Each structure stands twice: as C-alpha cells, then as structure tokens.
Amino acid sequence: MADNPNPNIEEIKAAPAPETPVKKKGVKRRIFLAGSALLVGGGVFGLYWSDNSARTRARQLTTGEGEHNFLTWMKIAEDDTVTLFSPHIDFGQGTHTALGQMLADELDADWSKVKVEQAPSDVAFSNTALVQSFLGEMTGYPGVINALPAALIGMLTRSQKIQITGGSSAVRFTGQGGMRVIGAAVRAALVAEAADRLGVSEGELTTADSTVTHAASGRSLRYGELAAGAAERSLSRDPVLKTRSQWKLINKPVTRLDIPAKVDGSAVYGIDFTLPDMRVATIAAAPVRGGKLESVDEAPAMAVPGVEKVVKLDDAVIVVAKGYWQAAKGLAALSPRFTDGGNGAMSTPAIYAAQDKLREAGKPDNQAGEGDVDSAFKAAGDNVITADFRVPFLHHAMMEPFALTAHFKDGKLHLWGGLQDPIGARDRAAKAAGMDIDDVLFNPMIMGGGFGRRFPGVTEILDQAALLAKQVPYPVKLVWSREEEVRHGTYRPQSSARLSATLKDGRIAAWRNDYVQGDNAEGEVGFIYDVPATSRRHFAYTTNQIDGPWRSVNSTQHGFYNESFIDELAHAAGEDPYQFRRKHLPEGSRHQKVLDEVAKHAGWGTPLPEGVGRGIAIVESFGTIVAEVIEAGVKEDGSPKVLKAWAVVDCGTTVNPLNAEAQIAGGIIMSLSATIGEAITLANGAVVESNFTDYNLLRLADAPPVIDVHFIESDAPMGGIGEPGVPPASAALANALFAATGKRIRTLPILTQAKA
Amino acid sequence: MSFSWPRGHRVAMNNRFKPTGEFASVAIAFSVNGKQVSVEAEADTPLLWVLREDLELTGTKFGCGIAACGACSVHVDGQLTRSCSVPVSDIAGKAVTTIEGLKAEDGTLHAVQQAWVDAQVPQCGYCQSGQIMAAVALIERTGTPSDAQIDEAMTNICRCGTYPRIRQAILAATGQAAKASATTQGEA
Ligand code: FES
Ligand code: FES
C-alpha cells in the first residue's frame, strides 16, 4: 500500500514551493506530507457565488422545509436557527466553535441559536470553491490571498477532491476568508430585505441577536422571518467586515459547543458507530513495512466461536467476527507468514549509522541559505562549534485507534469514520476498491485525536476497509488494535542533524544545519535569527517507514536542533541564553516582544532552588510565534521533573482565547511527552514497541501542574494555534536540564537514549 | 526471507488471548447503571466489549486493551476498574456504573461532569469518560484530594494534554477552587 499513495498527495507533491525544488529520490515513492506540503493541504475553502449547480446540490443535501441556504455554507431556519457547515473536522482543536464564532459575529446572530455541523463530503463542499473564488472574483481580500503560498493555488487548481483539516489553517483561512465574509454578506442581505419590508432605508436599521430593528418606529423582524426573502437576493461580494472593537464573539472566551457531549458519554466517535447486522474485524499487517502476506492457515481462527471469515490482503490478514473480542482472539490464533520486502536489515542503530555516513559524504540533496558560511568557517579555523543531534520516530498515539465502518451495497461503498479529509478519503477508498469516486460515500464522524495521522494520504485503513467490504455481504467495522496502531504508524521521521556555528565579537557570524531525513523534508525549517551567513543542507535518507506529518511537522525536530544549539552558543559566548537570543532578533520585532514577555512572566533571572534550572526557546511555525520557558529538575531516579511552563504566543488574534490556551498547553504537554519518553525503534525491519507499556506517554503526575499561557494580540495576519505550541518545549526542557545539571541533551528521548 | 510475528508480539498476544477452554456462551447477570441486565457471552469476554457491543453503552472507550491507558474505566461495586481487563464472568451479580450512569435521573450532570464543563476540559474528548470515572472514584474515596493524591490516582492517558485542566476541575469540584485558581493556566 505504501506503493499506492493517495493521488491527492501526489498532486501536492507535484506542487512544491518554487524556491525549494524537490529531488525525487529512492527506490520507492513515498507518501509525504510535510512542511509547505502540509500547509498546502490546509483546508481552505471559498465562497460560492458563481457555481449554481453546486449551490443547488448543497441545498438538496442540507436544506429542509422552512430552511434557507446561503452561499452553500450556511442556512437559516424560520425559527432563527443558524447552521454553519464546516469543511473542517473538529478533532478536539475547537475549530467548529471558532468558525461558528466568526460567522455569527459578522452575522450578528444569536449565539444560543447557532449550530455547527460537519459539511457533507460532497464536491459541492470541496475546496474547489476556493479555487473559483480566489482565482476569480474573490481576490479582494488581501489578508487572505497574501497568506496563501503560491504552491497552494497551484495545487488547488489541480485537485478537485480535497477537504483537509491541517496545517493549523482552518481558522486563519476558512474563518477569516470564508466565514466572516459569508456572515457579513448574509447580514447585509437580511438588512436589505428588512428595509424593503419595513419601507425604510437600510441606514436606519441595526442588527443584533438575529433580529433587524428599526429603532425609530420600534419595529423589528427576526432573521427567521427574513430568511426566505434574503435568500433570493444577490449577495455582496465585498461586504464590510467588523473592526476589532465591534467584535462580540471573536476574540472572546466562548465555551465550546462540543463539550457537553464529551462529558456524558453521548458523543459518537468512529469506533462507536454501529449498524444492524454489522460485523467487527481486526487486522494484522506485515510486521515489516513493505512486506507481503505469504501464507496463512485460516483454520485456527475459524475455530474460535464468533469468527466468521478470514480475509487475506496483499500485505495483511483480517479476521471478521461478531464482535471485536472474538475477532481479536481469532487473529491471535493465526500464525501468518509474511515476507520482509527486503527490509529485514532495517534497524534504528543502522539508520543512524547510515545517516551519519550520508552526511559525512557531504553531498546534500537540497540546500538553502544566505551569505558565505564556508568562508566564515574557514576564517574561524578551530573555532567552529559543532553539535550532533538525533530524534527518533514518533507515534501519533491518538487515543481512539483507527476504526472505519464500510458497507458495500448495490454497487456503492458507504464509509463511516473520522478522517481529516473526507473527500480525499472517498478518493483513496475508490482507488483501492477500483470504483468511481461518485460511488463511494463517506460519513465523517468525531475523531478521538488526529495529530496528523488521519490524512487520507497516510491512512491505509481506507484501502483495507474498502477491500474488506467488497468481500462480505454485511456492513463491517474494521478496528485496529493498539498494537497495530503502534507498529504500523506513519511516524514523525527519525532524523539527525549536525549544527555548526562560529562566533565573532559575541555574535553568531555563521550557522549551518546539516540534517538527514526522508526525501522531502524542506518545509517548516525556519530560522528566525539575524545571522549574516546561514546554510541549511538537507541529506535525503529514506527508510522503509512512511514519513507522516506529526503535530507541527518538521518544526518539532528543527525547533529542538536550533533552540538547543543557540543555547550552547550562548554558553560558549558566556552570555545569558535569553539575552543572547534577544540580541540576535531584529530590534522591536514581534519575535523580540514575545521573548521579552515570556522572560518577564517566568521571572527569568530570579534565583531558583538548588537543582532546578530554567530553559527558554522560541520557534515560529504556521504563522505563529511562540516562546516558552520551562522550569525543571531531576527526580531521584534520574528522570526529568518539569515543574512549571510558561508560553507567550503571538498568533495575531485568537478567535477563542479559552480554547487557544488549551491548544498551546496541550501542545506543550505532547512535546514534553515526546522529549522525555517517546520513541519508535526498529529491529529487523519491524517496530519494537507495541503498546502504552513500551511507548511511554506522559501522565498527569509528570505534566507541569501549571502552564501559564499569554497571548499578544496584534493586527498581524492570523496564525495557527493547534501546532505552534509544540516545537519550543523540547529545547526549553533540554536547556532547563542543562541549567540544572550541566549535562547537555542532544539525543531524544531523554529517558531511553540507549535505544537510539 | 519469510517472517512471522515478531516474538514479543506473539507473546503479548498469547498472554492476552489465553484459551479458556470454555468457549460456549454463558448467561451472566449483573446490573449496569441501576438496571438489571443479563448477557450471553463467552466467559472470558472483557466487560468493556460487553458494555460497548452488547449493551451499546459506547461512552466507555477502548484505548489499549491491556489496562495501560484508563480509557475504559468504570466502577464495579464502587471500585474503579479498567473494564478492558476484567472478564465479564467476574462481574456476575455485581453493580457496574459507566459514564452514562453518572447523571441524575432528571439529567442533571454529576458535580464532576459539571466541573469538567466549567473548566472546559475535553479536547478530542476520547479519554474523558475514563478520566471522569477516575476522578469520581478519587473524590468518593478522599473527599478533598490533595495534589499528591491527584497525581497518584489520575494515571489515565490524555494525548491531547488536558492534564492541567483535569487537575483544576478536580480541585474546583471539591471546593478547593482557591487552590484551583492558583494552578490555573494563565489569563488570556
Ligand atoms: S483500554 Fe482499558 S486501560 Fe486502555
Ligand atoms: S481529550 Fe483527547 S485524549 Fe484526552
């Protein structure tokens, strides 16, 4: 299946940002979603002013008696309920609430009557709309169009089948460019309708709480009463948006719409879905990625009560039973034989040795930078400071294991589950089953976490479920065990880097980052410091694993490399790590302000108890600048003890500060978890770890009890919030431990360095 | 070269799916959320799957299947129990409470559930049924749990990283709001 990547992803790959040409390399094409490519996947959608067939279809799909659809993406019912259709999936990051806030604020809707629903996975709701709007009339929204990388436009024009959530993009693109504009345009239509009905001029009318009021006469009309007429009006393409001071919902701590169903067990996730006569299946794929199923004797599974069928795929075996337990028992009874696809020698130590060798050979596949690093290093002679870093494969560990229900019936394939790109999911399943995309229907469900694991490009469960469904007459829910999850992930790549720099008069004169990673790893490796000569050299080394996007993508490892190394340089220069960073940031910049604020909140420089250290780090990713300070010491058993964390965030504007704070804090905890204890390792080509017993996630007791998050509000373009909290924490912790112990950590994770 | 299961995998699987010798379904009676139920199941079926698949109480979640994550936490005769690792035959005659059984009859949320809403704890929400069941058990046992007791008792995994708000909600639910605000994440 690794050989059959989702063509959407191929299309993304075919559209690299012009300044970073991608060298195709390796035996096998790899599904890759990283850096700019992920940003490209950033589910933007646009406004449907022009395409009537799509609007008609959207109406048919979503609009019932007494309801009126506007611009595909929202409807107003006669009881005033406003429903927004979100093209993005909410897997816990609060997107639906944020998009609702943006629409309802511009619309002046009564928030208690606003609902957000998942848009159907139909092309009428695809990002094609964006292409039409941005390449057509809608180029008049500077904040939006300027924020779009050229590659995004290129990719979107090629892809008709994309509806992705990722790259921290939902709110900043969909919300800013879409929902706010729709809300404002519909509000204007409602006002125009009311003006006609009341026989007054629009200027005499005001709107609030889903009502248009004529103050002079005391008359008013509810949106529900106006909706039918307003829906017939042509809508302004250029409505006036509110200014910051007029916001009532945007930038306010609104409670999340999805939370009540998540405290009483009523929220239905993909794994909870059920149908009459449905069977449950579970799967074991070849232990070595790239291997194939050679043979399996089905009898031992068939002897387990409740087991109904054993299904063989090219590279996996599936057991279908009446329930999950019987299926799992049946699977455990089997002794399938798999080939190793020629990857049996792949191991973590072998990968690192090969990566070092490749780097030492000195032939980079991609390079970028400014100034003349080579001359600076030559002039410095022995005074080049060098450090080697390594980071392991990381598993996403979304708490809900993959589960997808599939039913092949009357020539159609129906799917139910949680994936980040519903239309892309249909496309991949259709390809796997040899069907037309129009015959595949996907019903998106709530997701128990994602973190980059649920893009169709990396979700082979789509292929598995589609092939399985074609072999059975009943609906079947395919559920991955945790062991399958851990062993067949699409991991954050195992990667290594040599950083080198030279100092002159207390400043960094030249900086080089030689990093070894998969064959498309140039995105999100940003460098924020003011250094006259910089060089970034990428050495492409692929393994038998599929590199996947892991929350904040390449910023995790590069954040660790850069922010650890600059700390080393500060110490080499005999300077305070905060002040050393500060003087390398442009005077008066947003970066400098973020760094100053975090130092202030954390009481940087104030005395600490014996054995406790403070570390600082700053990373910009997905348009957001985050600086973090961590206070940490070492426990009796030698493991790190994180005492407190601070974060200062400049993402322009937060739509919902209450939720943004949770996203940043959660990102810090995920990063600390990985930094301290997480690693996927390979031996004989197969993943060694199997479950939460040997893949170590941080628990409450080891998380900082206090994470102090502050936002700097500015009119800068809106940045992402789901991912940017992650990257700084690794280095901030390692730097804190250096301050506490004098021991520098350059290999992750901290607890199991021996493994690497 | 051929390859069968890696050894570790095989051992782990075999330990989990030990043949019991009794494959036939048996009728097992117990109560769930105050209602008597009787299910036909193989004796070794974990309570988790009986709850989710036979009784359609899907608020109790599958996370790991080996008692390592706590997503499947329920109360059995008042004791916090990881239902993925208890055979349903052990439950005969006992009283099970799941997340669906915490609300009052009139639909009022349990004080801990309400604290979870007030502190806006859930992100993806998948772990939260288990977290809430663990918190309720902790509070029933200790009254006003200290930070150290919270650390010790709350061992369920949350990949979304909601731990600070979980702590804050437990403190708020037990009248320790002053302490909770001291550990609250910073103002926005
Ligand atoms: S599913 Fe029971 S503890 Fe993880
Ligand atoms: S809220 Fe997502 S795992 Fe806890």
Side-chain angles (χ1 to χ4, degrees):
Chain A
M1 268 160 262
D3 294 313
N4 178 26
N6 184 322
N8 279 344
I9 303 312
E10 289 303 301
E11 283 166 5
I12 292 170
K13 286 181 66 168
E19 68 276 17
T20 54
V22 177
K23 184 171 174 247
K24 293 281 181 293
K25 179 170 171 151
V27 208
K28 227 168 23 176
R29 306 237 14 226
R30 231 147 263 285
I31 299 164
F32 205 90
L33 262 166
S36 58
L38 181 68
L39 190 62
V40 161
V44 190
F45 84 108
L47 308 176
Y48 243 109
W49 262 273
S50 51
D51 184 341
N52 282 321
S53 68
R55 284 193 63 191
T56 307
R57 180 152 175 81
R59 278 191 181 146
Q60 287 164 354
L61 285 167
T62 60
T63 311
E65 223 12 65
E67 296 177 333
H68 306 282
N69 184 291
F70 292 83
L71 295 168
T72 307
W73 301 93
M74 64 163 279
K75 65 181 180 187
I76 300 180
E78 285 168 5
D79 69 357
D80 292 350
T81 305
V82 172
T83 307
L84 172 164
F85 300 103
S86 168
H88 300 287
I89 312 251
D90 195 324
F91 42 96
Q93 79 282 42
T95 303
H96 282 184
T97 306
L99 293 178
Q101 285 173 264
M102 296 173 102
L103 178 93
D105 203 330
E106 294 292 348
L107 186 61
D108 274 335
D110 176 350
W111 180 243
S112 69
K113 291 184 183 159
V114 174
K115 291 201 300 191
V116 181
E117 286 178 9
Q118 189 64 50
S121 60
D122 188 274
V123 283
F125 288 89
S126 78
N127 295 336
T128 309
L130 174 89
V131 181
Q132 294 177 340
S133 58
F134 282 111
L135 299 185
E137 313 94 330
M138 291 302 295
T139 48
Y141 293 91
V144 178
I145 194 72
N146 293 346
L148 295 174
L152 171 59
I153 301 291
M155 184 276 299
L156 284 170
T157 51
R158 276 177 224 121
S159 176
Q160 302 281 304
K161 300 167 191 159
I162 187 163
Q163 196 179 43
I164 291 184
T165 302
S168 290
S169 62
V171 167
R172 51 190 176 134
F173 296 144
T174 308
Q176 285 287 73
M179 290 306 166
R180 289 188 61 197
V181 179
I182 292 172
V186 173
R187 192 196 78 96
L190 291 161
V191 168
E193 175 71 12
D196 280 1
R197 299 255 294 262
L198 299 174
V200 299
S201 74
E202 292 177 23
E204 298 170 60
L205 298 171
T206 56
T207 51
D209 292 334
S210 298
T211 305
V212 184
T213 303
H214 183 242
S217 65
R219 289 176 298 165
S220 65
L221 286 165
R222 290 181 300 102
Y223 284 5
E225 298 173 273
L226 295 165
E232 299 305 316
R233 291 175 173 265
S234 76
L235 295 171
S236 164
R237 290 202 170 96
D238 197 12
V240 180
L241 299 185
K242 288 184 177 179
T243 58
R244 178 179 279 266
S245 62
Q246 295 171 309
W247 289 340
K248 290 189 194 133
L249 291 165
I250 299 172
N251 196 227
K252 300 290 181 286
V254 170
T255 56
R256 274 175 46 178
L257 301 168
D258 57 327
I259 282 184
K262 290 176 174 176
V263 302
D264 66 3
S266 61
V268 178
Y269 296 75
I271 200 170
D272 301 329
F273 185 72
T274 185
L275 286 170
D277 292 327
M278 185 188 81
R279 308 299 199 277
V280 181
T282 193
I283 188 164
V288 179
R289 199 179 269 279
K292 303 281 180 217
L293 178 65
E294 203 174 58
S295 64
V296 61
D297 172 12
E298 301 176 13
M302 295 306 292
V304 173
V307 170
E308 300 194 356
K309 195 174 169 66
V310 175
V311 174
K312 289 182 261 187
L313 301 183
D314 189 37
D315 64 350
V317 57
I318 298 174
V319 175
V320 183
K322 75 181 171 62
Y324 178 81
W325 177 248
Q326 291 96 337
K329 273 211 297 193
L331 190 65
L334 294 176
S335 302
R337 293 189 68 76
F338 294 98
T339 67
D340 67 9
N343 296 318
M346 197 67 79
S347 74
T348 291
I351 292 171
Y352 280 140
Q355 287 186 340
D356 287 354
K357 216 169 127 193
L358 183 70
R359 193 192 62 233
E360 274 150 25
K363 295 202 193 72
D365 294 274
N366 298 285
Q367 42 189 327
E370 293 177 347
D372 189 350
V373 172
D374 285 326
S375 305
F377 280 2
K378 210 166 187 183
D382 288 345
N383 293 323
V384 176
I385 301 163
T386 294
D388 290 349
F389 297 90
R390 293 184 193 291
V391 296
F393 289 117
L394 293 176
H395 170 47
H396 296 79
M398 48 190 189
M399 284 304 292
E400 179 196 17
F402 269 133
L404 194 62
T405 302
H407 191 195
F408 185 73
K409 196 174 168 234
D410 304 330
K412 305 256 187 219
L413 179 63
H414 302 257
L415 298 166
W416 294 262
L419 295 168
Q420 272 165 269
D421 170 4
I423 297 175
R426 290 173 56 199
D427 192 39
R428 180 167 181 160
K431 294 269 182 346
M435 297 171 66
D436 192 279
I437 186 169
D438 290 332
D439 294 327
V440 178
L441 299 125
F442 183 81
N443 303 280
M445 318 234 4
I446 300 172
M447 293 183 271
F451 315 114
R453 183 67 183 97
R454 293 184 192 260
F455 287 102
V458 290
T459 47
E460 56 269 50
I461 193 171
L462 276 164
D463 310 349
Q464 297 165 348
L467 293 169
L468 169 61
K470 288 192 83 174
Q471 296 197 36
V472 293
Y474 34 69
V476 59
K477 175 162 67 184
L478 177 60
V479 178
W480 280 25
S481 65
R482 178 57 61 186
E483 287 79 4
E484 191 70 9
E485 279 283 329
V486 170
R487 291 201 154 125
H488 294 93
T490 50
Y491 311 109
R492 194 285 302 271
Q494 176 171 338
S495 151
S496 59
R498 167 164 294 178
L499 277 85
S500 39
T502 181
L503 297 168
K504 203 172 163 205
D505 305 327
R507 288 190 66 92
I508 307 168
W511 172 294
R512 168 163 283 157
N513 177 356
D514 282 343
Y515 63 99
V516 192
Q517 199 182 303
D519 59 7
N520 184 357
E522 300 86 49
E524 291 289 323
V525 290
F527 185 73
I528 57 173
Y529 297 106
D530 190 4
V531 171
T534 58
S535 144
R536 224 168 59 213
R537 302 194 298 190
H538 169 220
F539 299 79
Y541 179 81
T542 58
T543 68
N544 67 327
Q545 300 301 309
I546 296 173
D547 292 339
W550 191 93
R551 194 173 183 178
S552 87
V553 202
N554 288 322
S555 297
T556 55
Q557 59 270 36
H558 287 282
F560 174 64
Y561 304 153
N562 290 340
E563 288 299 301
S564 296
F565 192 56
I566 196 165
D567 223 68
E568 298 199 32
L569 297 181
H571 287 283
E575 287 193 43
D576 173 80
Y578 156 48
Q579 292 297 342
F580 188 74
R581 282 177 176 78
R582 189 178 196 288
K583 77 177 186 185
H584 286 90
L585 291 169
E587 202 54 50
S589 61
R590 290 167 71 202
H591 297 88
Q592 211 181 42
K593 190 165 173 206
V594 168
L595 193 70
D596 287 345
E597 286 289 306
V598 83
K600 192 183 85 195
H601 286 294
W604 188 266
T606 57
L608 284 170
E610 179 71 23
V612 176
R614 245 183 227 122
I616 193 166
I618 175 170
V619 178
E620 176 178 352
S621 61
F622 301 97
T624 293
I625 305 161
V626 183
E628 293 169 7
V629 168
I630 283 173
E631 244 174 57
V634 177
K635 292 197 269 192
E636 268 174 24
D637 65 3
S639 62
K641 174 77 191 159
V642 182
L643 299 165
K644 191 167 177 187
W646 291 261
V648 171
V649 181
D650 179 351
C651 58
T653 296
T654 57
V655 176
N656 186 343
L658 193 61
N659 181 57
E661 171 200 291
Q663 287 299 304
I664 295 294
I668 290 173
I669 287 170
M670 187 157 170
S671 181
L672 293 174
S673 178
T675 305
I676 294 171
E678 296 179 29
I680 289 288
T681 57
L682 299 183
N684 302 320
V687 170
V688 174
E689 292 70 25
S690 63
N691 204 315
F692 296 136
T693 41
D694 49 12
Y695 193 81
N696 303 306
L697 300 180
L698 200 73
R699 314 282 170 136
L700 178 140
D702 288 321
V706 182
I707 298 183
D708 192 7
V709 183
H710 299 263
F711 293 93
I712 294 177
E713 293 288 333
S714 71
D715 288 324
M718 197 177 274
I721 204 71
E723 304 181 84
V726 176
S730 280
L733 174 58
N735 296 338
L737 293 172
F738 178 78
T741 66
K743 196 169 163 280
R744 184 57 73 182
I745 290 155
R746 300 194 184 95
T747 298
L748 298 183
I750 295 170
L751 285 186
T752 47
Q753 291 192 23
K755 276 187 172 179
Chain B
M1 174 189 150
S2 277
F3 208 95
S4 51
W5 302 114
R7 198 150 20 139
H9 188 65
R10 204 90 236 131
V11 171
M13 298 282 273
N14 281 343
N15 285 346
R16 281 171 61 196
F17 303 104
K18 273 196 280 279
T20 57
E22 320 167 36
F23 279 143
S25 291
V26 288
I28 298 157
F30 53 102
S31 82
V32 178
N33 301 331
K35 287 192 196 70
Q36 281 301 317
V37 296
S38 175
V39 295
E40 292 279 328
E42 284 117 48
D44 65 346
T45 311
L47 173 61
L48 171 66
W49 298 108
V50 172
L51 291 171
R52 288 181 54 79
E53 293 180 349
D54 297 275
L55 302 172
E56 295 188 8
L57 292 168
T58 54
T60 304
K61 300 301 190 207
F62 167 58
C64 67
I66 57 164
C69 75
C72 63
S73 300
V74 300
H75 299 173
V76 177
D77 285 349
Q79 292 293 311
L80 183 64
T81 303
R82 292 188 169 173
S83 64
C84 68
S85 300
V86 184
V88 66
S89 53
D90 284 10
I91 303 299
K94 296 189 175 161
V96 177
T97 306
T98 69
I99 187 74
E100 290 91 347
L102 281 189
K103 277 185 188 173
E105 296 247 312
D106 68 356
T108 312
L109 292 181
H110 186 284
V112 172
Q113 289 173 309
Q114 188 58 50
W116 245 245
V117 174
D118 295 343
Q120 294 280 293
V121 175
Q123 290 187 28
C124 84
Y126 194 79
C127 74
Q128 298 297 343
S129 300
Q131 304 281 6
I132 291 169
M133 296 312 286
V136 170
L138 168 68
I139 292 166
E140 282 173 0
R141 185 162 54 80
T142 61
T144 50
S146 66
D147 269 310
Q149 284 172 320
I150 294 172
D151 282 350
E152 204 209 285
M154 297 300 292
T155 57
N156 291 7
I157 296 172
C158 175
R159 183 48 146 177
C160 298
T162 63
Y163 301 131
R165 286 190 180 180
I166 288 176
R167 183 187 301 276
Q168 181 191 337
I170 293 173
L171 292 172
T174 51
Q176 307 182 80
K179 208 166 142 194
S181 61
T183 57
T184 295
Q185 297 161 27
E187 75 278 11

